[in-house]
Amino acid sequence: MIAQGVTDNHSAKVDETWWFTLPPPYNVSDDPLEVIDASVVKVPDGIKIVRYRAYHRDDTDGMPLLAREGDQQNPDFARLKDYAKAPLKLAPDSGGDVYYVAELEVTAPPKENLRDCRFTYRQNGHTFTQTMGCELELRVG
């Protein structure tokens, strides 16, 4: 897991697109599981979730926590394979090389932080939902 700190940027502009990485899933159990959905729970006014996607670390040269669309040092997320179209399979006691991101659009200056990430997964014929801490402080500057 990424430490549950706050990812932030204070130089966003209205109408910009940003990519925010959700905590990478990790299976702590003794049984395999499939992650079938990932999302942000609390989205403040001024930020719109455009879509969720999932990427392989090899395709993005690691796992950027926050990336502005169009910055040269960032991956071109829109052109990469989206692994969220199929369940993410995690073996027992392991993580994976795929991580989820939220594509965000800044629609107005946000005054609050985006908070909490939710994962839905299947294991042993049952569906579960787990919410964990994640936080983004994105401000127009």
Side-chain angles (χ1 to χ4, degrees), residues 24-34 90-96 121 123:
Y26 192 92
N27 180 3
V28 298
S29 76
D30 294 330
D31 296 313
L33 63 81
E34 294 180 329
L90 294 176
D93 194 31
S94 72
Y121 62 95
Q123 188 175 44

Side-chain angles (χ1 to χ4, degrees), residues 10 13 15-16 21 26 35 43 46 49 51 57 62 69 72 94 96 98 100-101 111 114 116 124 131-132 136-137:
H10 290 245
K13 293 179 177 44
D15 294 329
E16 281 184 335
T21 298
Y26 192 92
V35 180
V43 181
I49 302 283
R51 62 185 162 174
R57 292 174 196 242
E69 179 73 26
Q72 286 185 335
S94 72
V98 173
Y100 291 88
V101 298
K111 293 182 177 34
L114 177 147
D116 300 328
N124 298 325
T131 301
M132 60 185 58
L136 170 61
E137 181 180 338

Side-chain angles (χ1 to χ4, degrees), residues 2 20-24 38-40 52 63 99-102 117-119:
I2 294 174
F20 171 62
T21 298
L22 282 61
S39 61
V40 174
Y52 295 96
M63 189 176 65
Y99 62 95
Y100 291 88
V101 298
C117 294
R118 179 175 295 142
F119 294 87

